[in-house]
């Protein structure tokens, strides 16, 4: 008698409102569909500045959000902001993860860590990066990746200050930006920023760029599944999901 595996139950802490609809979309793109519980966290200012992002990713903000997930039955939890984790450095990320795991009693990670692990999963050591961030914030992402021996061959900064503005970028704009920053010497293209929509266009992005493309919401979802032990090969989710190490 065949038994269908129970769906993954995933928790996401998402700052504000921008591209959070990527998560229910991805939940229904995989087989079996996942169950998600997404909580919007609070912050003082919607701005891609080190100061604003540090406040957004502070342990008190994460603890407030995690409290809303208590008792929800989730099997893993993600802090889904790339920049509001890597700007705090590895020690800050460790504190974020510890806060979530101690509050909820389930494995936790952040989007920044998911990028490092997803890049390694593809056996990529040289990448190109297309960021929506201002230059100083983008540079901190480059510095973060160096801790994992990931070499950045090219990096572009679009210089958008608010997540709300990033969330309004459409398919054509995102694909054009990706193609413009694809480099032959790179083994993958990374597009950090969970405020950027990408889930519906993952295959289109990779066809246009001719290489694996990792986006923030995609790697967050991948990491959440991996941490609860329910990551399986999937179609329509990009090369990251095609073969599971």
């Amino acid at each position: 008698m065949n038994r269908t595996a129970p769906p993954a139950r995933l928790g996401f802490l998402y700052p504000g409102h921008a591209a959070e609809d990527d998560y229910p979309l991805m939940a229904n793109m995989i087989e079996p569909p996942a169950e998600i519980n997404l909580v919007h966290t609070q912050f003082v200012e919607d701005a891609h500045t080190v100061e604003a992002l540090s406040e957004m990713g502070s342990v008190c903000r994460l603890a407030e959000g995690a409290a809303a997930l208590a008792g929800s039955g989730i099997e893993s939890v993600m802090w889904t902001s790339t920049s509001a984790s890597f700007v705090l450095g590895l020690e800050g990320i460790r504190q974020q993860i510890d806060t979530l795991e101690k509050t909820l009693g389930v494995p936790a990670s952040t989007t920044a860590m998911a990028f490092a692990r997803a890049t390694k999963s593809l056996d990529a050591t040289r990448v190109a990066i297309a960021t929506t961030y201002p230059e100083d914030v983008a540079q901190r992402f480059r510095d973060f990746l160096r801790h994992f021996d990931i070499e950045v061959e090219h990096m572009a900064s679009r210089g958008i200050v608010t997540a709300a503005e990033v969330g309004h970028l459409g398919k054509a704009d995102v694909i054009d930006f990706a193609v413009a920053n694809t480099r032959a010497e790179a083994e993958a293209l990374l597009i950090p920023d969970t405020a950027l929509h990408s889930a519906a266009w993952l295959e289109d992005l990779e066809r246009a760029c001719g290489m694996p493309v990792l986006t923030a919401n995609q790697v967050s979802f991948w990491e959440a599944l991996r941490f609860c032990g329910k990551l399986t090969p999937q179609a329509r989710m990009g090369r990251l999901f095609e073969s599971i190490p």
Side-chain angles (χ1 to χ4, degrees):
M1 179 178 178
N2 292 328
R3 294 184 179 181
T4 302
R9 301 187 304 277
L10 313 175
F12 299 97
L13 299 181
Y14 189 95
H17 299 266
E20 68 272 24
D21 49 330
D22 268 5
Y23 291 93
L25 176 59
M26 289 185 288
N28 287 304
M29 288 171 66
I30 67 169
E31 292 294 339
E35 296 177 3
I36 68 166
N37 194 322
L38 188 145
V39 169
H40 295 276
T41 60
Q42 303 300 309
F43 48 83
V44 171
E45 182 184 9
D46 176 14
H48 286 142
T49 66
V50 172
E51 181 180 17
L53 293 167
S54 297
E55 191 280 332
M56 184 185 296
S58 63
V59 293
C60 63
R61 290 297 190 190
L62 269 63
E64 290 171 0
L69 288 171
S72 62
I74 58 171
E75 299 169 283
S76 65
V77 62
M78 292 291 301
W79 167 232
T80 55
S81 173
T82 322
S83 53
S85 52
F86 68 70
V87 297
L88 297 170
L90 293 181
E91 176 59 23
I93 292 172
R94 184 193 65 77
Q95 292 176 8
Q96 291 176 331
I97 292 171
D98 284 352
T99 297
L100 296 178
E101 291 187 338
K102 288 175 181 176
T103 302
L104 295 169
V106 298
S109 188
T110 76
T111 304
M113 288 303 303
F115 264 112
R117 291 180 176 127
T119 302
K120 290 295 189 179
S121 175
L122 294 172
D123 292 324
T125 58
R126 302 186 310 278
V127 302
I129 305 175
T131 82
T132 55
Y133 313 132
E135 176 67 28
D136 63 329
V137 174
Q139 183 60 49
R140 291 202 178 203
F141 186 51
R142 179 199 289 265
D143 295 342
F144 167 77
L145 293 175
R146 285 199 184 108
H147 289 290
F148 304 92
D149 297 321
I150 298 170
E151 182 178 348
V152 178
E153 300 287 344
H154 166 81
M155 184 176 72
S157 305
R158 190 144 178 171
I160 300 176
V161 175
T162 70
E165 184 180 351
V166 173
H168 288 299
L169 296 176
K171 177 180 179 179
D173 202 0
V174 173
I175 290 179
D176 287 348
F177 184 51
V179 171
N181 291 289
T182 299
R183 295 294 184 271
E185 61 270 25
E187 297 164 316
L189 175 67
L190 278 53
I191 310 179
D193 198 345
T194 55
L196 188 73
H197 286 96
S198 65
W201 317 321
L202 293 170
E203 291 181 310
D204 297 314
L205 279 165
E206 292 194 332
R207 277 194 294 268
C209 295
M211 67 173 54
V213 176
L214 300 179
T215 72
N217 292 329
Q218 174 205 32
V219 301
S220 297
F221 201 80
W222 175 86
E223 182 93 318
L225 287 169
R226 193 177 72 84
F227 264 48
C228 72
K230 293 184 177 178
L231 179 62
T232 59
Q234 301 287 336
R236 302 186 297 155
M237 299 285 284
R239 292 189 218 179
L240 177 64
F241 278 83
E242 287 179 1
S243 60
I244 307 304

